Amino acid sequence: MSSEVSLHAARSIALIGAPIEVGTSEPGALMGPAALRTAGLVRALGELGHSVTDRGDVAPEGPAGMRGLDGVAAWTRALSRVVEGALDAGSLPLTAGGDHSLSLGSVDGVLRHCARHGRSVFVLWLDAHADFNTPATSPSGNVHGMPLAALCGEPGFPRLFAEPVPQPLSPANVHLFGLRSIDAGERALVTTRQVGITDMRTIDEFGVVAPLRRVLDRVAGQGAHLHVSLDIDFLDPSIAPGVGTTVPGGATFREAHLIMEMLHDSGLVQSLDVVELNPFLDERGRSARVLVELVASLFGRRILDRPTLPIEAAPIEPAGRG
């Protein structure tokens, strides 16, 4: 197997560890950033010609040990400030977690940065779940299933974001890609708010190329900042078992790489989350290595296992009578 570095310009990438698990009831996600580093994330991006600064792990604001919305708020404020600072410095923030509630902080930082520069924000949510619950609709009460609802301004999230609170993320600028599990309450909210959806049924019928191309065309047309949030449970658990919320029927290895390659080719991605890796539930680091490979594809690696000629260019052998 070989790799090819894309002709796109090298990026300045700020790796931000977010060892957060207060948004979930399953312990182990706090080890996610360390596992991604151990699996060679910094080395893989450096080999592609990017300049990577590992900013270490963020610590939450306030007293240690807080849980629920108060605990998530402490992480949200700290992460928001670091992500906004990375963007202000001209770097692409790559926030490695940690449970998906970390996206409250990363996207909030993006919203604050873009508000000051007059840019809209578009979020591509690669996830088995919609994460559009509120405290009133959530069956579990786990905040990692609520970040998009909070970011889009749904009620029930007091004092989550630092003042002054930026304008909420527009639900019309959110696209759920790979959805295959949604609770009744969030289904109603997602439908009412007209959130974009490409579920696994759509991918089964049409593949990933046409649906993703439509999303990218919208982002490009708006001149928007594209934030990608990659949850490991977007993948089928047979590929990446190291997650506490496995849902069968996820994206295949090749589908996921194709998505990453298309995102890279678009040149639109300006910030990234990699979330929900739980090394305690993994098999000999397999899930962490898969995530590192996917992130490398997003930043320009090409997999050239078996180059083939186009069908029309293949030589035609004369017919014979074996």
Side-chain angles (χ1 to χ4, degrees):
M1 183 170 67
S2 60
S3 63
E4 175 185 271
V5 178
S6 161
L7 297 178
H8 279 283
R11 304 293 299 267
S12 171
I13 301 170
L15 176 60
I16 301 164
I20 174 175
E21 65 179 25
V22 296
T24 178
S25 57
E26 182 72 52
L30 63 80
M31 298 184 287
L36 290 169
R37 291 185 177 102
T38 302
L41 179 59
V42 174
R43 181 179 66 254
L45 296 176
E47 288 173 351
L48 290 168
H50 302 292
S51 174
V52 185
T53 302
D54 189 343
R55 301 200 174 185
D57 289 345
V58 173
E61 294 183 355
M66 291 190 296
R67 303 287 302 180
L69 283 175
D70 288 339
V72 171
W75 281 99
T76 296
R77 296 172 186 225
L79 283 167
S80 175
R81 186 166 54 251
V82 176
V83 167
E84 183 180 9
L87 288 168
D88 289 347
S91 294
L92 184 153
L94 194 172
T95 308
D99 77 65
H100 217 155
S101 64
L102 71 83
S103 295
L104 288 159
S106 60
V107 177
D108 183 64
V110 168
L111 289 169
R112 292 174 189 274
H113 170 83
C114 290
R116 290 189 284 106
H117 292 81
R119 295 189 70 191
S120 58
V121 175
F122 198 103
V123 173
L124 179 64
W125 203 259
L126 299 168
D127 199 324
H129 305 89
D131 293 345
F132 218 94
N133 271 305
T134 69
T137 66
S138 172
S140 68
N142 291 331
V143 185
H144 73 159
M146 307 181 191
L148 280 177
L151 288 163
C152 291
E154 295 297 330
F157 301 96
R159 302 181 302 280
L160 192 56
F161 305 105
E163 296 290 342
V165 178
Q167 283 292 314
L169 177 65
S170 170
N173 282 9
V174 174
H175 198 96
L176 309 175
F177 205 94
L179 181 69
R180 59 191 188 277
S181 176
I182 186 168
D183 297 318
E186 61 180 346
R187 181 190 296 274
L189 274 176
V190 164
T191 302
T192 300
R193 304 296 186 245
Q194 298 183 311
V195 174
I197 298 175
T198 299
D199 62 10
M200 287 307 300
R201 167 69 184 267
T202 302
I203 291 173
D204 288 342
E205 290 189 15
F206 302 105
V208 300
V209 173
L212 182 57
R213 188 165 288 152
R214 285 194 291 270
V215 173
L216 296 176
D217 286 347
R218 278 196 61 206
V219 176
Q222 293 181 20
H225 175 118
L226 177 59
H227 177 90
V228 174
S229 200
L230 170 61
D231 189 317
I232 188 174
D233 71 19
F234 170 70
L235 302 166
D236 191 82
S238 64
I239 301 168
V243 60
T245 53
T246 56
V247 183
T252 66
F253 184 81
R254 185 57 209 149
E255 285 171 338
H257 272 287
L258 179 55
I259 290 166
M260 297 299 114
E261 291 164 1
M262 289 179 66
L263 288 171
H264 173 262
D265 292 346
S266 76
L268 295 169
V269 179
Q270 301 299 317
S271 50
L272 171 67
D273 302 328
V274 180
V275 307
E276 293 287 351
L277 173 62
N278 188 327
F280 185 73
L281 302 174
D282 203 6
E283 299 172 1
R284 301 174 65 87
R286 180 154 63 108
S287 301
R289 290 194 295 270
V290 167
L291 284 176
V292 168
E293 291 176 10
L294 290 176
V295 172
S297 288
L298 192 151
F299 284 99
R301 180 182 289 172
R302 288 290 183 268
I303 308 300
L304 302 177
D305 285 321
R306 218 169 47 171
T308 57
L309 294 171
I311 291 174
E312 63 271 16
I316 300 175
E317 299 292 336
R321 297 180 62 182

